Amino acid sequence: MTVVDLHQVPVRTSPVRRLAQLFGGLALYGASMGLMIRSGLGLDPWDVLHEALSELTGLTFGTVTALTGALVLLCWIPLRQRPGIGTVSNILVIAVAVDLTLAVLAPPSALAPRIVLMVAGVVLNGLASAAYIGVRLGPGPRDGLMTGLHARTGWSIRLVRTAIELTVLATGWLLGGTVGVGTILYALAIGPLVQAFLPLVTWQKPPTK
């Protein structure tokens, strides 16, 4: 992923707008997850695991994502990571948003609308990821696990992320989670999408005079 030149990012200072972007981005993230679930064409690695655990336990998808996020957050302790308001909000808001989306959106039977849901889910997930990352109010539990392992082991971000997501994907698939073309599309597109959206939504501290 290409590094964003933050010197070219517009300065935003309003704390109210910053919080609004955080919660809006997290809500959109949960909704985009719901779209991909309803498409039935494959999920991102973590959601493959979440779906499998939801089916096995009978808990709602959102409840499983929240519990998984909380467990991952415990892994931050030995990694000496510090959560922010964005970290806690990530666990709560996404869980509610995905369950609400699943409650109001029925799974279509025809292939064409399923493809539309899949593509829309991936694109909106990219926008949502950029929005909540860009406010810089704390990473999500899974992102923090990745950066924490990177800091403690010295391994590259790419290696750590790949290892985590392959492990999660394989576990979820073995437990019965949905892997499909949407999984491949997500893996190929999410990086470029987040990179494209980040300059539009990233917050900077105003320059000192």
Side-chain angles (χ1 to χ4, degrees):
M1 185 182 291
T2 305
V3 176
V4 177
D5 183 359
L6 294 180
H7 294 292
Q8 302 299 319
V9 176
V11 174
R12 301 173 175 87
T13 57
S14 169
V16 174
R17 290 179 57 193
R18 195 176 182 188
L19 287 173
Q21 179 176 316
L22 170 66
F23 292 117
L26 293 174
L28 182 61
Y29 193 99
S32 69
M33 289 166 58
L35 296 181
M36 290 192 68
I37 293 167
R38 287 301 187 227
S39 77
L41 295 174
L43 304 171
D44 74 82
W46 279 101
D47 285 345
V48 173
L49 177 61
H50 295 151
E51 182 188 54
L53 293 175
S54 178
E55 293 292 331
L56 289 171
T57 63
L59 298 173
T60 69
F61 195 96
T63 301
V64 170
T65 63
L67 292 175
T68 304
L71 288 174
V72 171
L73 194 57
L74 292 177
C75 297
W76 285 29
I77 297 174
L79 298 175
R80 299 178 183 175
Q81 292 283 90
R82 294 183 178 180
I85 184 175
T87 309
V88 178
S89 300
N90 182 290
I91 295 174
L92 301 176
V93 176
I94 290 177
V96 173
V98 66
D99 275 350
L100 285 176
T101 302
L102 293 176
V104 301
L105 183 64
S109 55
L111 180 60
R114 292 170 64 196
I115 293 174
V116 170
L117 289 180
M118 176 189 68
V119 174
V122 173
V123 173
L124 292 177
N125 193 276
L127 174 58
S129 297
Y132 85 75
I133 291 171
V135 294
R136 300 179 176 183
L137 290 173
R142 298 156 187 82
D143 295 327
L145 176 64
M146 175 185 66
T147 56
L149 286 172
H150 161 69
R152 297 289 286 177
T153 64
W155 299 342
S156 69
I157 287 287
R158 179 179 299 179
L159 175 60
V160 172
R161 177 167 182 167
T162 299
I164 291 173
E165 295 201 348
L166 284 178
T167 300
V168 168
L169 177 62
T171 303
W173 178 68
L174 289 172
L175 292 175
T178 303
V179 177
V181 64
T183 309
I184 299 172
L185 177 63
Y186 186 93
L188 295 175
I190 194 62
L193 285 170
V194 174
Q195 181 67 25
F197 287 125
L198 265 176
L200 305 176
V201 295
T202 298
W203 290 70
Q204 272 186 245
K205 292 181 180 179
T208 55
K209 295 183 180 180

